[in-house]
Amino acid sequence: MEAFKKQATRLREQVAKQQQVIPTSLLSTVSFFFFFLLIIRNFCFLFIYFVWQAVLKHLGHLSNEGIIVDEAELQCYRHLQNLYNSTRTAKV
C-alpha cells in the first residue's frame, strides 16, 4: 500500500511539473505577435479593398456620374414595356 502512495505522489509531482504555467513574459510576447498579425491582416484586407475599388472605378463600374440615356433609347424602352404589358394583359 505504501508503494502505491509513493508512486501516486511521484506521478502527481511529474504532472505538476509538466503543467507549469507558461511564463508571463512569453505569454505576452506570443499574444503581442498574434495581435500584430491580426493588424497586418486587417491592413492587407483594407489595401486589397481599396485597390479593387480603384480598379472598378477605372474600368467604369463605379462612377459618380449619373447614367446618361438618350431619348431614342428611352422611347424604345417605353415601347417594349408597353408591348410587354399588353401581352401580359392579353394572356389573362
Side-chain angles (χ1 to χ4, degrees):
M1 191 67 166
E2 194 66 32
F4 286 126
K5 287 183 181 179
K6 285 182 181 179
Q7 188 176 3
T9 305
R10 219 173 337 149
L11 286 174
R12 258 188 253 120
E13 289 173 358
Q14 284 179 350
V15 169
K17 286 180 183 177
Q18 291 173 356
Q19 292 178 345
Q20 285 180 345
V21 180
I22 298 173
T24 313
S25 62
L26 179 62
L27 185 61
S28 64
T29 305
V30 170
S31 62
F32 176 76
F33 177 72
F34 284 115
F35 180 71
F36 185 69
L37 286 179
L38 184 68
I39 290 173
I40 289 173
R41 185 197 70 173
N42 288 344
F43 277 121
C44 288
F45 283 144
L46 280 175
F47 178 75
I48 290 169
Y49 172 77
F50 285 122
V51 167
W52 183 247
Q53 292 295 318
V55 167
L56 288 178
K57 192 170 187 176
H58 180 72
L59 294 175
H61 294 287
L62 297 175
S63 64
N64 295 333
E65 303 170 0
I67 298 173
I68 300 172
V69 179
D70 62 347
E71 191 63 33
E73 188 177 354
L74 188 58
Q75 285 179 353
C76 182
Y77 173 76
R78 287 182 183 152
H79 182 67
L80 287 173
Q81 189 67 34
N82 289 336
L83 284 173
Y84 174 77
N85 291 338
S86 66
T87 55
R88 293 287 294 167
T89 55
K91 288 183 180 180
V92 175

